[in-house]
């Protein structure tokens, strides 16, 4: 639980860093050339994804990297959030039994 929560917060921080970097590049006057998820995948895996994967995955790889990584981070923080301990209600014994 703790590892998933920490990983989620790290991914959210990384997504914020990527988004701020893209904002600085957009304000710099050069063309809007963002970092796509496909480029991150190629850096980490060493090759581009094959064409046999599902169409949803291939379309997701064309999105900006900060959107996908931020979505994963948000999902991890929500999925692994600390939850209160559920206590079962005890039944009281009737004094007449």
């Amino acid at each position: 639980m703790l590892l998933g929560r920490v990983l989620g917060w790290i991914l959210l921080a990384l997504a914020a860093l990527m988004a701020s970097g893209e904002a600085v590049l957009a304000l710099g006057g050069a063309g809007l050339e963002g970092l796509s998820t496909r480029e991150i995948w190629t850096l980490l895996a060493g090759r581009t994804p094959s064409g046999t994967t599902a169409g949803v995955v291939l379309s997701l790889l064309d999105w900006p990297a900060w959107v996908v990584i931020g979505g994963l981070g948000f999902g991890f923080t929500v999925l692994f959030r600390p939850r209160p301990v559920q206590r079962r209600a005890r039944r009281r014994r009737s004094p007449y039994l």
Side-chain angles (χ1 to χ4, degrees):
M1 292 292 270
L2 180 67
L3 182 64
R5 200 172 329 140
V6 168
L7 182 63
W9 282 109
I10 289 173
L11 287 175
L12 278 174
L14 188 63
L17 207 71
M18 286 179 182
S20 64
E22 283 195 23
V24 168
L25 286 175
L27 294 174
L32 184 61
E33 184 74 26
L35 184 65
S36 71
T37 310
R38 184 180 307 270
E39 294 168 354
I40 297 290
W41 181 273
T42 305
L43 284 173
L44 293 177
R47 61 183 176 87
T48 58
S50 64
T52 60
T53 45
V56 174
V57 173
L58 288 176
S59 68
L60 203 82
L61 289 175
D62 292 331
W63 288 13
W66 64 270
V67 172
V68 176
I69 292 176
L72 280 173
F74 181 73
F76 278 178
T77 54
V78 168
L79 185 67
F80 296 115
R81 70 184 184 275
R83 295 186 180 108
V85 176
Q86 302 259 342
R87 300 187 191 267
R88 294 187 336 189
R90 291 186 179 176
R91 291 191 313 177
R92 294 186 179 201
R93 289 185 162 202
S94 174
Y96 302 110
L97 292 179

